Amino acid sequence: MRLLNGQPQDLISMADRALQFGDGVFRTMRCTGGAIEFWGRHYTRLQQDCTALGIVCPSEEILLEDLRRLTPVDAALKIIITRGETARGYVVPDQLQPNRIVQATSLPAYPEKLHQEGAKVRVCNTRASWQPALAGVKHLNRLENVLARREWSDPSVFEGLMLDRDGYVIEGVMSNVLVLSDNILSTPKLEQSGVSGVMCEVVFDAALQHGFGVEKRVWTLDEIKKADAIWLTNSLVGLLPVSELCDRHFEPHTAQALLSAALKQLRQKEKFAIVALPDMTKG
Amino acid sequence: MRLLNGQPQDLISMADRALQFGDGVFRTMRCTGGAIEFWGRHYTRLQQDCTALGIVCPSEEILLEDLRRLTPVDAALKIIITRGETARGYVVPDQLQPNRIVQATSLPAYPEKLHQEGAKVRVCNTRASWQPALAGVKHLNRLENVLARREWSDPSVFEGLMLDRDGYVIEGVMSNVLVLSDNILSTPKLEQSGVSGVMCEVVFDAALQHGFGVEKRVWTLDEIKKADAIWLTNSLVGLLPVSELCDRHFEPHTAQALLSAALKQLRQKEKFAIVALPDMTKG
């Protein structure tokens, strides 16, 4: 189900700049039991991303009202904010009205054992672009992710890593990367490439609370192959251990249980109920 | 006026991947007197760009039939081919049906003296991204052009140059760049950044026919400021001399008349009539 500017709608003007130029931002969120996980963080990031592109971000109230109308219980929620509609050309007229889209789709059906057994990961030939003006922003120019995802069809491969021009690891096609080495949990700097994800930030916070050292740094592929453990994160899959990266196999790491438990706590603490479910504990 | 898959339509599904990811390609063409300038070249490029992204390009016959239904006389025509519609995620299912959009808008009203007096050009802070998988392709991920165009509002500035990470000149926000130096006409290599334009290729051909040396090379900003002449090209503005770039003023160059005349000839030779106009010479 989709809403456009609060109204149930499947269609949008072909003059919308998201279609013409990819001129907009988005968020993907997990809703479970009628509550959005990490809503506060998602909305903050949406505001930051809108600011980075010079788009007026809708108020939290308006977006929550839209999301409530989707009456999601367990769903993947997506918000798209576009710059609005223009006839032709890159010039943005003053007072352009953004379009806001919310959509609910079913949560991806991950195999039951995925989180226990871990994910098989490949390395993509498609590189992450260098573009400091857009790095970190969750914007709608995602063609490189589409091309990278088209590189494999083997369903046993969960994710592909994308490197930058200089061979440094940036991210997965649809996830961020966390690397544990010598008890330091690190994630790639995303100042010139890549998309910052809320789940990665959450796990970082969880790690800090549990006494891990954390840092943002650069990693070559050879370096992360020698790590003690690697995880992938995104809002839908959560925290997913990597079991295989090219020729390197990773054994389950003791930090996994700790980080998972910490994430579970934060998930509980930072969920935002938008649909009132009947109380099952009552008669 | 717009058509979607041959039908008059202003709306498209919000599940279209052009809106979700910028997953598609486009062409902008000039139609004058009911004829599309350089249609053959545009269609060839559209095919190449679709191939680069793995999108099935509609046949020439189907696209021409769509364009005829717009009954354009003097118009800016745009074709957009999107990969099609999917519910969520980067994965592309087999047999996905592309969407084709054609639109006609009025030709931009350039000031009468623009081509005589030349264009004032600035240099953008927004850099052209490094992305060899997409370089040269006229795809729908155009956010960096949008951000670059937002850097100025002075109407006397016609265009902004975009440099790459290393400071080499790549293109204008909405145009390609041609540089004349020591009787060699050159244009930046677009192997890692930028969009290849048909008009730039046409002027290159015209220059070759008139005995100019031509080459693709890299230029720093300082180097092109010392050039004998610079032109901007795109399908709507044609061949436009630069009169001012930062602190450098360019006097009209003798090559201008030659290149303009050659372009005029090619324009006449390579136009493709799609709307039959009443013959004004009769009656």
Side-chain angles (χ1 to χ4, degrees), chain A residues 2 36 47 62 83 88 126 174 192 218 221 223 272:
Chain A
R2 288 192 180 87
I36 305 174
Q47 283 182 305
I62 283 178
R83 196 184 299 276
R88 210 195 57 74
T126 306
M174 54 164 185
Q192 308 195 318
V218 295
L221 187 59
E223 284 168 344
F272 188 92

Side-chain angles (χ1 to χ4, degrees), chain A residues 12 20 78 127 131 165, chain B residues 12 20 78 131 165:
Chain A
I12 191 166
Q20 301 269 341
K78 189 170 178 178
R127 296 289 174 110
Q131 179 49 280
R165 181 173 99 161
Chain B
I12 191 166
Q20 301 269 341
K78 189 169 178 179
Q131 181 45 282
R165 180 172 102 161

Side-chain angles (χ1 to χ4, degrees), chain A residues 9-12 14 18 20-21 78 90 103 105 127 129-131 140-144 165, chain B residues 9-12 14 18 20-21 78 88 90 103 105 127 129-131 140-144 165:
Chain A
Q9 179 62 270
D10 286 318
L11 304 174
I12 191 166
M14 289 193 279
Q20 301 269 341
F21 308 127
K78 189 170 178 178
Y90 297 128
Q103 67 181 52
T105 51
R127 296 289 174 110
S129 61
W130 175 90
Q131 179 49 280
L140 295 175
N141 277 203
R142 300 265 63 96
L143 204 32
E144 65 191 35
R165 181 173 99 161
Chain B
Q9 179 64 267
D10 287 317
L11 304 174
I12 191 166
M14 289 194 279
Q20 301 269 341
F21 309 126
K78 189 169 178 179
R88 211 194 57 75
Y90 297 128
Q103 68 181 51
T105 51
R127 295 288 173 111
S129 60
W130 175 91
Q131 181 45 282
L140 296 175
N141 278 202
R142 300 266 63 96
L143 204 32
E144 64 191 34
R165 180 172 102 161

Side-chain angles (χ1 to χ4, degrees), chain B residues 2-277:
Chain B
R2 289 192 177 87
L3 303 180
L4 173 61
N5 300 324
Q7 300 303 315
Q9 179 64 267
D10 287 317
L11 304 174
I12 191 166
S13 169
M14 289 194 279
D16 191 278
R17 293 173 64 97
L19 179 118
Q20 301 269 341
F21 309 126
D23 194 1
V25 297
F26 74 105
R27 301 299 322 169
T28 303
M29 300 163 294
R30 188 164 176 256
C31 183
T32 50
I36 304 174
E37 298 176 359
F38 305 111
W39 164 254
R41 295 181 196 246
H42 280 291
Y43 183 69
T44 300
R45 281 294 181 85
L46 187 72
Q47 283 182 305
Q48 290 167 349
D49 288 352
C50 281
T51 301
L53 302 193
I55 295 174
V56 179
C57 188
S59 73
E60 189 172 1
E61 291 65 37
I62 283 178
L63 281 173
L64 284 173
E65 187 54 36
D66 284 0
L67 292 167
R68 272 186 205 105
R69 285 188 201 171
L70 297 173
T71 59
V73 179
D74 298 316
L77 298 179
K78 189 169 178 179
I79 297 174
I80 297 176
I81 310 295
T82 85
R83 197 184 299 276
E85 300 166 19
T86 53
R88 211 194 57 75
Y90 297 128
V91 175
V92 179
D94 292 340
Q95 316 275 325
L96 190 60
Q97 189 68 36
N99 276 326
R100 62 179 202 277
I101 300 164
V102 295
Q103 68 181 51
T105 51
S106 53
L107 285 170
Y110 296 120
E112 238 175 74
K113 289 181 174 177
L114 178 66
H115 284 78
Q116 279 84 54
E117 295 183 352
K120 193 172 160 183
V121 174
R122 73 190 294 283
V123 177
C124 294
N125 296 318
T126 307
R127 295 288 173 111
S129 60
W130 175 91
Q131 181 45 282
L134 294 173
V137 175
K138 218 171 176 79
H139 57 74
L140 296 175
N141 278 202
R142 300 266 63 96
L143 204 32
E144 64 191 34
N145 305 69
V146 173
L147 294 187
R149 187 58 191 83
R150 291 183 77 242
E151 290 184 26
W152 82 95
S153 54
D154 177 354
S156 77
V157 175
F158 182 81
E159 179 60 303
L161 287 191
M162 298 179 74
L163 314 180
D164 69 6
R165 180 172 102 161
D166 302 318
Y168 293 114
V169 175
I170 297 298
E171 61 193 358
V173 171
M174 56 165 183
S175 62
N176 289 112
V177 177
L178 286 161
V179 180
L180 186 69
S181 192
D182 301 327
N183 276 317
I184 307 273
L185 191 73
S186 65
T187 190
K189 283 186 187 177
L190 301 178
E191 288 158 9
Q192 306 195 319
S193 302
V195 177
S196 302
V198 154
M199 185 55 68
C200 186
E201 174 191 295
V202 168
V203 178
F204 234 57
D205 286 359
L208 254 179
Q209 287 174 18
H210 285 80
F212 287 90
V214 298
E215 63 174 0
K216 297 191 178 181
R217 54 164 283 189
V218 295
W219 287 96
T220 65
L221 187 58
D222 280 342
E223 285 169 342
I224 79 162
K225 279 192 203 166
K226 292 176 193 148
D228 299 323
I230 305 177
W231 289 272
L232 306 174
T233 59
N234 75 31
S235 292
L236 299 181
V237 83
L239 178 72
L240 179 64
V242 171
S243 61
E244 204 177 320
L245 171 61
C246 307
D247 49 347
R248 166 81 202 273
H249 287 259
F250 291 89
E251 294 302 315
H253 195 277
T254 49
Q256 168 74 30
L258 203 68
L259 289 176
S260 290
L263 172 57
K264 195 173 170 184
Q265 268 191 340
L266 283 177
R267 224 179 216 147
Q268 194 59 30
K269 190 176 155 196
E270 298 190 33
K271 72 184 185 182
F272 188 92
I274 57 166
V275 175
L277 296 186

